[in-house]
Amino acid sequence: MRRRPSVLVAAALAASVVGLTGCTESVEGTTPVGTLTPPGPTASTATAAAPSERPLVVETVFGQVDLDPGQAFSRTGAIISRALYQTLTTLSAQDETQAEAGLAQYTISPEGKWLTLRLRADATFSDGTPVTTDDVIFTLNRAAGLGGLPATILGNLRMTKVDERTMTITSPSANFALPAILANPAFGILNSSAVKAQGGTIGPNDFAGPWLQTHSAGSGPYVLAARTTGTVTLRANPHWNGPPPAHPEIVLRDATAAEQVRDLEAGRADIALDVSPSQAEAIQLDPADRALRVVTRRSATTAYLVLNTSAKVNRWTADPDFAEAVRRGLDSAALAKLVGGGTIAAPGLIPQGIFGALKPAATNPAPAPTPSGSAGASGTPPPSGAAPAPTATPFPASPSASLPRPTMTTPTARPRTMDGRDLAAAKAALKRAGYTGEPLTLHYAEEQPIEGVPAKLLAEAVARQLGEAGITVHPEGIAAADARSAYEKGTEAFALWSFTPAFPGPENYLLFAPGHPIGLHAGWPLRAATVVDELTIQALNSVGEDRRATYTSWQRAMNTAGPFVPLVQPASHYAYGSRVTALSTNPIWTIDLAQTR
């Protein structure tokens, strides 16, 4: 059967999802889901904020930065796209598991097969022209035509223009994910006339990408003013019709985690986005750093190991018994304790805070602390029991009869649990594999921290633990671009990576299934694990009360048969100086620069 690619990366937010908002600082209120916020100031008042003495300087590790929103799926790219482009929907500041109106008001059909969108009447691009349905359809079709992760998220959608401000999006099957999918900054709406004039089109003959690296064509609160190696400068959009941003000019600067903290302490930077747990603790305890504030929040990031299943890449990582020994030889609770700062052990690929996550072990460290000492900060979770608006309930309580139900076969392999460390079982698995201590290199992206945590710290701890199980591991950091290239080509044997979802929905993680994009990175083809294949289809089609049990079964099957070993879910730590009073953070786009005060 044909699989729905639109839900391989992202899905709708279940009504019973645990909120991701526990430690978020938010400065804006929200309106009921699916309704428009009141019109903001006119273009003339949107830039009335008094300029500060210098630009606000935000430092982070850039990694791969693509400023074409249709390709901007990196962390830094998402931060910038969020500032330059508006999305049709957004995620609620009060409950980040819920989608609400952004550039458009939306209505989703009861069966989840179509979405009607009505654009704001006052929305204009940075050149003053109005945002129209044609711009929306061009943007989404172009993103699909460019391929890559955004195209995988969108999948097979059909868009129909009703008038200049109204359109419908139709999915061939139930897709309650659409409101949340469209909130991702990768789907920031482009000025189609401007992009077409620079060679933009639908499909492989699109040549607008290079132009979009140095120019913006959006309706967001900022425009791209300049870009050099290691810096991106944003200035307030003179035609922005929303609340004026507090900082008329922002400079994003590439810096290591150590440089970020030093620059923050010296006043050369205002916000640091890659603060490690130890750095955060040092800032909070140092009397000399009283002017600095730290925000700690739960992230949606899972750090994991990948063992390539192809014997052509590595005979040991391809051996199921060796993979079992790796799982049995690791103590994720000890790794979480080592990292500290609110880090918790990851019992499965789906992190805590997203619907379908496995329950954490009782021995895990406590959840991340609330924001520390920040004026205007809010770390209060949304009230429990608050009912979402009807149009925002992605999964109805009663299953849809129209969704196919694949027959589940009984696993033939011996049942094995992978919960907890068991060195004796690890050594027994190594004996079955015939492994006698041959060295194995564990690669990691050297300059790319995982939510501020140095990848080297985790890699070395993993090597020590596996050494106690009898596996000889040599951690080796390599350039992030080289590591990513090898991983995506499926030529990396043993590596440490992390995954942050496109939005808080469990179907993001089906990317790890056999034959799907991340599964293929590990050399794991379709039909390599038929039980996982069937559970993947069942998860795609599950609704209502079936969903939690289905995703629990899927993750446990992945923990037994898959080439991925979940390690930890780190917290996020951000620090800022006296020129900032509050941050507006989000697990998907990290920080909303326009709403940071």
Side-chain angles (χ1 to χ4, degrees), residues 350-391:
I350 300 176
Q352 303 305 306
I354 291 182
F355 179 84
L358 296 176
K359 292 182 179 179
T363 55
N364 283 351
T370 55
S372 165
S374 56
S378 173
T380 306
S384 60
T391 57

Side-chain angles (χ1 to χ4, degrees), residues 175-579:
N175 190 352
F176 294 97
L178 277 175
I181 289 174
L182 296 174
N184 192 285
F187 305 117
I189 303 305
L190 295 162
N191 183 330
S192 60
S193 296
V195 174
K196 287 177 181 178
Q198 301 299 324
T201 188
I202 309 302
N205 294 322
D206 180 274
F207 300 109
W211 182 79
L212 287 167
Q213 304 306 318
T214 54
H215 300 78
S216 57
S219 60
Y222 289 95
V223 295
L224 181 61
R227 181 181 183 178
T228 62
T229 302
T231 64
V232 175
T233 302
L234 310 178
R235 292 201 183 102
N237 176 3
H239 292 281
W240 168 243
N241 286 322
H247 305 281
E249 184 172 344
I250 294 179
V251 174
L252 284 94
R253 195 157 58 203
D254 186 14
T256 67
E259 290 171 337
Q260 291 175 40
V261 173
R262 286 199 298 267
D263 289 348
L264 198 63
E265 291 173 338
R268 294 187 296 268
D270 300 297
I271 300 174
L273 297 179
D274 298 288
V275 179
S276 71
S278 59
Q279 288 172 323
E281 183 179 8
I283 291 172
Q284 291 169 314
L285 295 177
D286 189 349
D289 285 335
R290 293 187 186 277
L292 303 184
R293 298 290 183 267
V294 174
V295 174
T296 297
R297 61 157 297 145
R298 180 167 58 190
S299 78
T301 297
T302 304
Y304 63 93
L305 297 179
V306 56
L307 296 93
N308 198 296
T309 65
S310 171
K312 294 180 180 179
V313 175
N314 187 279
R315 63 171 292 197
W316 299 118
T317 61
D319 189 306
D321 287 316
F322 183 88
E324 179 181 347
V326 170
R327 295 181 190 278
R328 295 288 199 179
L330 290 170
D331 184 344
S332 57
L335 294 175
K337 184 176 181 180
L338 171 70
V339 173
T343 300
I344 60 175
L349 287 169
I350 300 176
Q352 303 305 306
I354 291 182
F355 179 84
L358 296 176
K359 292 182 179 179
T363 55
N364 283 351
T370 55
S372 165
S374 56
S378 173
T380 306
S384 60
T391 57
T393 307
F395 299 105
S398 57
S400 170
S402 64
L403 296 179
R405 296 289 177 188
T407 301
M408 188 61 204
T409 59
T410 302
T412 56
R414 65 186 185 278
R416 295 175 293 180
T417 176
M418 294 297 173
D419 297 333
R421 193 185 199 199
D422 188 334
L423 291 180
K427 292 176 181 178
L430 290 178
K431 186 175 181 180
R432 292 196 302 271
Y435 176 82
T436 57
E438 292 84 347
L440 192 66
T441 300
L442 174 63
H443 284 137
Y444 60 91
E446 190 165 29
E447 71 275 29
Q448 198 74 49
I450 301 172
E451 295 295 338
V453 178
K456 181 179 180 180
L457 175 70
L458 266 180
E460 290 180 343
V462 165
R464 286 194 298 271
Q465 289 190 356
L466 293 182
E468 294 169 0
I471 304 173
T472 305
V473 176
H474 298 305
E476 181 181 322
I478 58 178
D482 294 337
R484 174 65 63 183
S485 176
Y487 185 35
E488 291 179 350
K489 291 176 182 176
T491 60
E492 198 166 49
F494 191 38
L496 168 67
W497 284 101
S498 65
F499 181 81
T500 301
F503 78 96
E507 275 82 349
N508 287 265
Y509 299 87
L510 299 182
L511 274 173
F512 290 85
H516 297 310
I518 299 180
L520 291 175
H521 293 347
W524 206 28
L526 198 63
R527 293 184 290 278
T530 56
V531 169
V532 179
D533 290 339
E534 292 168 350
L535 280 169
T536 300
I537 296 170
Q538 189 170 339
L540 285 171
N541 292 325
S542 64
V543 296
E545 299 301 324
D546 294 342
R547 293 183 59 71
R548 190 176 301 279
T550 299
Y551 276 97
T552 295
S553 297
W554 180 82
Q555 285 185 93
R556 292 202 177 279
M558 289 287 291
N559 282 354
T560 299
F564 306 101
V565 185
L567 298 176
V568 296
Q569 179 183 348
S572 298
H573 302 276
Y574 313 122
Y576 58 92
S578 59
R579 297 180 65 216

